[in-house]
Amino acid sequence: MNSTTVYGQLNNALDSSSLLKFSLADLYPDLIPRFITLWVLAVLAGLTTIVFTILVFIYDRKKLCSPFNIQLFVMGVCLVASAVDMDCPFYFCNYDAAIVKYSAQAGYEYCYILYAFGRSKGVIQRVSTTLHTCLDWFVKLSPLILFLQVLGPVLALAGAIDKFVWPRWIVILPSVSGFSVFLFDFALLIAFLAYVYSSSDFDSPNRPIFVAIAYFGILACFLWFISNTLFMCGNLMFLDFDTFWDLSNASYFLQLAIILVLMLMKVWLSRIRVSRNDQSKTANSKRVEEAVKKSETRPSVSETVSVQ
């Protein structure tokens, strides 16, 4: 579908609808398979979030409301909201749906940043304190950048900008937000690679944990690079609906893969900590047994006196 066709059908729909809300399926029946794909994504993301919450409640109830668990949960909810909202009426003209879509995308990105930075603080500090300081400031300021993408539909809903002008905000602001996360991810990737190939922290007892964080972080970074690139390209090519929807769907599925990678990281780190605790308990029990054996083989005071 070219831009002329889109604008022609868009103008007709806008002129014939005082509410400025109409269904994409009415305009483009061939998009229905893509809607089904989004619903499949929403179901998968919802089930993943529910199963994760149940498992945490069963096996790690004390940390159910920990920041990491809350961040993963919110990422899942935001992904479900994004997928469902894309199936709503045409959000270029349905401002409520547009606000939900971009708020959910910004919420996903922000929780990803919080989780990634929170997990990798130790790794980053060992690589570069300057990089850690810069990323810490970015994390604090990131909501201003990420939620700026909601400004377009908010201004349109308030009537502050023309209905034909605000799609330009959609093109610019989400891409700016996505590019900022892209730079953050690039910095994380550099830190992870530097730590993996560094030998300065080789004898640290926490190295297995940091190495696991680095490897899972590298995988998550690569997935995010691809997802973010598809998301930005999709926004820049929104007039070509076929390309826009294909890129958006692929980006959302990769975002689900990122959630799964971060959840697997959590499970892997828990296994490492449990294994280390078991080894510590085993070592302590061996020391106790050796101490008991020594006390049993050592002659008592009375025996020593009688011998003398």
Side-chain angles (χ1 to χ4, degrees), residues 52 72 115 212 216 219 257-271:
F52 169 76
L72 288 175
Y115 188 95
F216 280 104
L219 178 57
I258 292 170
I259 294 177
L260 293 174
V261 169
L262 297 182
M263 290 179 177
L264 184 58
M265 177 199 291
K266 175 180 174 61
V267 174
W268 196 272
L269 294 177
S270 297
R271 289 184 59 185

PDB file of all heavy atoms in Angstrom, residues 52 72 115 212 216 219 257-271:
ATOM      1  N   PHE A  52       5.391 -16.928  35.256  1.00  0.00           N
ATOM      2  CA  PHE A  52       6.530 -16.386  36.000  1.00  0.00           C
ATOM      3  C   PHE A  52       6.108 -15.953  37.398  1.00  0.00           C
ATOM      4  O   PHE A  52       6.785 -16.260  38.396  1.00  0.00           O
ATOM      5  CB  PHE A  52       7.125 -15.201  35.240  1.00  0.00           C
ATOM      6  CG  PHE A  52       8.131 -14.409  36.026  1.00  0.00           C
ATOM      7  CD1 PHE A  52       9.410 -14.902  36.226  1.00  0.00           C
ATOM      8  CD2 PHE A  52       7.792 -13.177  36.569  1.00  0.00           C
ATOM      9  CE1 PHE A  52      10.341 -14.176  36.960  1.00  0.00           C
ATOM     10  CE2 PHE A  52       8.716 -12.452  37.294  1.00  0.00           C
ATOM     11  CZ  PHE A  52       9.993 -12.949  37.496  1.00  0.00           C
ATOM     12  N   LEU A  72      10.158  -7.223  35.660  1.00  0.00           N
ATOM     13  CA  LEU A  72       9.830  -8.249  34.674  1.00  0.00           C
ATOM     14  C   LEU A  72       8.315  -8.358  34.485  1.00  0.00           C
ATOM     15  O   LEU A  72       7.823  -8.518  33.363  1.00  0.00           O
ATOM     16  CB  LEU A  72      10.410  -9.594  35.103  1.00  0.00           C
ATOM     17  CG  LEU A  72      11.928  -9.739  35.000  1.00  0.00           C
ATOM     18  CD1 LEU A  72      12.369 -11.076  35.580  1.00  0.00           C
ATOM     19  CD2 LEU A  72      12.385  -9.615  33.551  1.00  0.00           C
ATOM     20  N   TYR A 115      16.023  -2.931  34.887  1.00  0.00           N
ATOM     21  CA  TYR A 115      16.439  -4.307  35.149  1.00  0.00           C
ATOM     22  C   TYR A 115      17.872  -4.541  34.672  1.00  0.00           C
ATOM     23  O   TYR A 115      18.698  -5.098  35.406  1.00  0.00           O
ATOM     24  CB  TYR A 115      15.490  -5.282  34.450  1.00  0.00           C
ATOM     25  CG  TYR A 115      15.738  -6.725  34.818  1.00  0.00           C
ATOM     26  CD1 TYR A 115      15.008  -7.329  35.841  1.00  0.00           C
ATOM     27  CD2 TYR A 115      16.694  -7.494  34.156  1.00  0.00           C
ATOM     28  CE1 TYR A 115      15.232  -8.647  36.196  1.00  0.00           C
ATOM     29  CE2 TYR A 115      16.927  -8.803  34.504  1.00  0.00           C
ATOM     30  CZ  TYR A 115      16.183  -9.374  35.517  1.00  0.00           C
ATOM     31  OH  TYR A 115      16.422 -10.682  35.866  1.00  0.00           O
ATOM     32  N   ALA A 212      27.872 -14.856  34.215  1.00  0.00           N
ATOM     33  CA  ALA A 212      26.523 -15.242  33.778  1.00  0.00           C
ATOM     34  C   ALA A 212      25.710 -14.012  33.386  1.00  0.00           C
ATOM     35  O   ALA A 212      25.021 -14.002  32.355  1.00  0.00           O
ATOM     36  CB  ALA A 212      25.821 -16.021  34.887  1.00  0.00           C
ATOM     37  N   PHE A 216      24.269 -13.476  29.508  1.00  0.00           N
ATOM     38  CA  PHE A 216      22.840 -13.249  29.264  1.00  0.00           C
ATOM     39  C   PHE A 216      22.597 -11.814  28.801  1.00  0.00           C
ATOM     40  O   PHE A 216      21.715 -11.559  27.970  1.00  0.00           O
ATOM     41  CB  PHE A 216      22.029 -13.544  30.530  1.00  0.00           C
ATOM     42  CG  PHE A 216      21.771 -15.001  30.756  1.00  0.00           C
ATOM     43  CD1 PHE A 216      22.488 -15.701  31.717  1.00  0.00           C
ATOM     44  CD2 PHE A 216      20.829 -15.682  30.018  1.00  0.00           C
ATOM     45  CE1 PHE A 216      22.259 -17.057  31.933  1.00  0.00           C
ATOM     46  CE2 PHE A 216      20.592 -17.033  30.225  1.00  0.00           C
ATOM     47  CZ  PHE A 216      21.311 -17.715  31.184  1.00  0.00           C
ATOM     48  N   LEU A 219      23.336 -11.511  25.076  1.00  0.00           N
ATOM     49  CA  LEU A 219      22.232 -12.049  24.278  1.00  0.00           C
ATOM     50  C   LEU A 219      21.048 -11.090  24.255  1.00  0.00           C
ATOM     51  O   LEU A 219      20.466 -10.822  23.195  1.00  0.00           O
ATOM     52  CB  LEU A 219      21.804 -13.413  24.840  1.00  0.00           C
ATOM     53  CG  LEU A 219      20.625 -14.095  24.143  1.00  0.00           C
ATOM     54  CD1 LEU A 219      20.902 -14.292  22.663  1.00  0.00           C
ATOM     55  CD2 LEU A 219      20.312 -15.428  24.818  1.00  0.00           C
ATOM     56  N   ALA A 257      10.984 -12.355  23.484  1.00  0.00           N
ATOM     57  CA  ALA A 257      12.200 -13.161  23.636  1.00  0.00           C
ATOM     58  C   ALA A 257      13.142 -12.533  24.667  1.00  0.00           C
ATOM     59  O   ALA A 257      13.797 -13.245  25.449  1.00  0.00           O
ATOM     60  CB  ALA A 257      12.904 -13.309  22.288  1.00  0.00           C
ATOM     61  N   ILE A 258      13.219 -11.206  24.700  1.00  0.00           N
ATOM     62  CA  ILE A 258      14.063 -10.520  25.681  1.00  0.00           C
ATOM     63  C   ILE A 258      13.568 -10.791  27.091  1.00  0.00           C
ATOM     64  O   ILE A 258      14.362 -11.046  28.012  1.00  0.00           O
ATOM     65  CB  ILE A 258      14.084  -9.003  25.391  1.00  0.00           C
ATOM     66  CG1 ILE A 258      14.823  -8.732  24.078  1.00  0.00           C
ATOM     67  CG2 ILE A 258      14.736  -8.240  26.534  1.00  0.00           C
ATOM     68  CD1 ILE A 258      14.695  -7.303  23.589  1.00  0.00           C
ATOM     69  N   ILE A 259      12.265 -10.751  27.287  1.00  0.00           N
ATOM     70  CA  ILE A 259      11.705 -11.061  28.609  1.00  0.00           C
ATOM     71  C   ILE A 259      12.088 -12.480  29.030  1.00  0.00           C
ATOM     72  O   ILE A 259      12.481 -12.721  30.184  1.00  0.00           O
ATOM     73  CB  ILE A 259      10.172 -10.894  28.599  1.00  0.00           C
ATOM     74  CG1 ILE A 259       9.794  -9.429  28.396  1.00  0.00           C
ATOM     75  CG2 ILE A 259       9.561 -11.419  29.898  1.00  0.00           C
ATOM     76  CD1 ILE A 259       8.305  -9.191  28.301  1.00  0.00           C
ATOM     77  N   LEU A 260      11.989 -13.418  28.106  1.00  0.00           N
ATOM     78  CA  LEU A 260      12.343 -14.806  28.420  1.00  0.00           C
ATOM     79  C   LEU A 260      13.826 -14.928  28.773  1.00  0.00           C
ATOM     80  O   LEU A 260      14.189 -15.671  29.698  1.00  0.00           O
ATOM     81  CB  LEU A 260      12.005 -15.706  27.233  1.00  0.00           C
ATOM     82  CG  LEU A 260      10.515 -15.857  26.907  1.00  0.00           C
ATOM     83  CD1 LEU A 260      10.327 -16.650  25.621  1.00  0.00           C
ATOM     84  CD2 LEU A 260       9.778 -16.542  28.059  1.00  0.00           C
ATOM     85  N   VAL A 261      14.690 -14.199  28.066  1.00  0.00           N
ATOM     86  CA  VAL A 261      16.127 -14.230  28.365  1.00  0.00           C
ATOM     87  C   VAL A 261      16.388 -13.678  29.757  1.00  0.00           C
ATOM     88  O   VAL A 261      17.169 -14.251  30.542  1.00  0.00           O
ATOM     89  CB  VAL A 261      16.914 -13.428  27.307  1.00  0.00           C
ATOM     90  CG1 VAL A 261      18.361 -13.216  27.757  1.00  0.00           C
ATOM     91  CG2 VAL A 261      16.889 -14.152  25.973  1.00  0.00           C
ATOM     92  N   LEU A 262      15.743 -12.574  30.124  1.00  0.00           N
ATOM     93  CA  LEU A 262      15.944 -11.977  31.444  1.00  0.00           C
ATOM     94  C   LEU A 262      15.401 -12.877  32.556  1.00  0.00           C
ATOM     95  O   LEU A 262      15.990 -12.961  33.641  1.00  0.00           O
ATOM     96  CB  LEU A 262      15.278 -10.603  31.502  1.00  0.00           C
ATOM     97  CG  LEU A 262      15.829  -9.548  30.535  1.00  0.00           C
ATOM     98  CD1 LEU A 262      15.113  -8.221  30.723  1.00  0.00           C
ATOM     99  CD2 LEU A 262      17.327  -9.377  30.715  1.00  0.00           C
ATOM    100  N   MET A 263      14.285 -13.564  32.286  1.00  0.00           N
ATOM    101  CA  MET A 263      13.763 -14.521  33.259  1.00  0.00           C
ATOM    102  C   MET A 263      14.708 -15.701  33.417  1.00  0.00           C
ATOM    103  O   MET A 263      14.940 -16.185  34.540  1.00  0.00           O
ATOM    104  CB  MET A 263      12.374 -15.006  32.824  1.00  0.00           C
ATOM    105  CG  MET A 263      11.289 -13.959  32.938  1.00  0.00           C
ATOM    106  SD  MET A 263       9.674 -14.596  32.378  1.00  0.00           S
ATOM    107  CE  MET A 263       8.623 -13.182  32.727  1.00  0.00           C
ATOM    108  N   LEU A 264      15.259 -16.173  32.304  1.00  0.00           N
ATOM    109  CA  LEU A 264      16.220 -17.280  32.364  1.00  0.00           C
ATOM    110  C   LEU A 264      17.481 -16.850  33.108  1.00  0.00           C
ATOM    111  O   LEU A 264      18.070 -17.647  33.852  1.00  0.00           O
ATOM    112  CB  LEU A 264      16.571 -17.730  30.946  1.00  0.00           C
ATOM    113  CG  LEU A 264      17.494 -18.948  30.824  1.00  0.00           C
ATOM    114  CD1 LEU A 264      16.892 -20.156  31.538  1.00  0.00           C
ATOM    115  CD2 LEU A 264      17.771 -19.273  29.360  1.00  0.00           C
ATOM    116  N   MET A 265      17.893 -15.597  32.941  1.00  0.00           N
ATOM    117  CA  MET A 265      19.029 -15.075  33.706  1.00  0.00           C
ATOM    118  C   MET A 265      18.740 -15.158  35.197  1.00  0.00           C
ATOM    119  O   MET A 265      19.610 -15.564  35.982  1.00  0.00           O
ATOM    120  CB  MET A 265      19.311 -13.617  33.318  1.00  0.00           C
ATOM    121  CG  MET A 265      20.438 -12.977  34.133  1.00  0.00           C
ATOM    122  SD  MET A 265      20.436 -11.175  34.106  1.00  0.00           S
ATOM    123  CE  MET A 265      20.886 -10.845  32.411  1.00  0.00           C
ATOM    124  N   LYS A 266      17.548 -14.780  35.601  1.00  0.00           N
ATOM    125  CA  LYS A 266      17.184 -14.830  37.013  1.00  0.00           C
ATOM    126  C   LYS A 266      17.263 -16.262  37.545  1.00  0.00           C
ATOM    127  O   LYS A 266      17.797 -16.507  38.639  1.00  0.00           O
ATOM    128  CB  LYS A 266      15.768 -14.278  37.206  1.00  0.00           C
ATOM    129  CG  LYS A 266      15.238 -14.389  38.631  1.00  0.00           C
ATOM    130  CD  LYS A 266      13.839 -13.837  38.747  1.00  0.00           C
ATOM    131  CE  LYS A 266      13.288 -14.105  40.130  1.00  0.00           C
ATOM    132  NZ  LYS A 266      14.084 -13.460  41.188  1.00  0.00           N
ATOM    133  N   VAL A 267      16.744 -17.219  36.776  1.00  0.00           N
ATOM    134  CA  VAL A 267      16.784 -18.623  37.195  1.00  0.00           C
ATOM    135  C   VAL A 267      18.226 -19.110  37.293  1.00  0.00           C
ATOM    136  O   VAL A 267      18.615 -19.789  38.251  1.00  0.00           O
ATOM    137  CB  VAL A 267      15.976 -19.496  36.210  1.00  0.00           C
ATOM    138  CG1 VAL A 267      16.148 -20.976  36.552  1.00  0.00           C
ATOM    139  CG2 VAL A 267      14.510 -19.121  36.234  1.00  0.00           C
ATOM    140  N   TRP A 268      19.041 -18.750  36.310  1.00  0.00           N
ATOM    141  CA  TRP A 268      20.442 -19.194  36.286  1.00  0.00           C
ATOM    142  C   TRP A 268      21.213 -18.632  37.478  1.00  0.00           C
ATOM    143  O   TRP A 268      21.998 -19.338  38.112  1.00  0.00           O
ATOM    144  CB  TRP A 268      21.086 -18.757  34.978  1.00  0.00           C
ATOM    145  CG  TRP A 268      22.381 -19.464  34.683  1.00  0.00           C
ATOM    146  CD1 TRP A 268      23.630 -19.102  35.081  1.00  0.00           C
ATOM    147  CD2 TRP A 268      22.535 -20.676  33.938  1.00  0.00           C
ATOM    148  NE1 TRP A 268      24.563 -19.986  34.629  1.00  0.00           N
ATOM    149  CE2 TRP A 268      23.920 -20.973  33.921  1.00  0.00           C
ATOM    150  CE3 TRP A 268      21.662 -21.520  33.274  1.00  0.00           C
ATOM    151  CZ2 TRP A 268      24.443 -22.086  33.264  1.00  0.00           C
ATOM    152  CZ3 TRP A 268      22.184 -22.619  32.613  1.00  0.00           C
ATOM    153  CH2 TRP A 268      23.544 -22.901  32.615  1.00  0.00           C
ATOM    154  N   LEU A 269      21.000 -17.362  37.784  1.00  0.00           N
ATOM    155  CA  LEU A 269      21.682 -16.746  38.921  1.00  0.00           C
ATOM    156  C   LEU A 269      21.236 -17.384  40.236  1.00  0.00           C
ATOM    157  O   LEU A 269      22.047 -17.570  41.158  1.00  0.00           O
ATOM    158  CB  LEU A 269      21.401 -15.238  38.953  1.00  0.00           C
ATOM    159  CG  LEU A 269      21.984 -14.422  37.797  1.00  0.00           C
ATOM    160  CD1 LEU A 269      21.571 -12.955  37.904  1.00  0.00           C
ATOM    161  CD2 LEU A 269      23.493 -14.537  37.757  1.00  0.00           C
ATOM    162  N   SER A 270      19.960 -17.733  40.320  1.00  0.00           N
ATOM    163  CA  SER A 270      19.462 -18.415  41.530  1.00  0.00           C
ATOM    164  C   SER A 270      20.149 -19.771  41.687  1.00  0.00           C
ATOM    165  O   SER A 270      20.512 -20.164  42.809  1.00  0.00           O
ATOM    166  CB  SER A 270      17.947 -18.586  41.451  1.00  0.00           C
ATOM    167  OG  SER A 270      17.298 -17.331  41.412  1.00  0.00           O
ATOM    168  N   ARG A 271      20.338 -20.483  40.575  1.00  0.00           N
ATOM    169  CA  ARG A 271      21.024 -21.783  40.636  1.00  0.00           C
ATOM    170  C   ARG A 271      22.463 -21.622  41.111  1.00  0.00           C
ATOM    171  O   ARG A 271      22.966 -22.423  41.904  1.00  0.00           O
ATOM    172  CB  ARG A 271      20.987 -22.454  39.268  1.00  0.00           C
ATOM    173  CG  ARG A 271      19.625 -22.965  38.841  1.00  0.00           C
ATOM    174  CD  ARG A 271      19.718 -23.691  37.517  1.00  0.00           C
ATOM    175  NE  ARG A 271      20.639 -24.830  37.591  1.00  0.00           N
ATOM    176  CZ  ARG A 271      20.988 -25.575  36.552  1.00  0.00           C
ATOM    177  NH1 ARG A 271      20.510 -25.298  35.354  1.00  0.00           N
ATOM    178  NH2 ARG A 271      21.824 -26.575  36.701  1.00  0.00           N
TER     179      ARG A 271
END
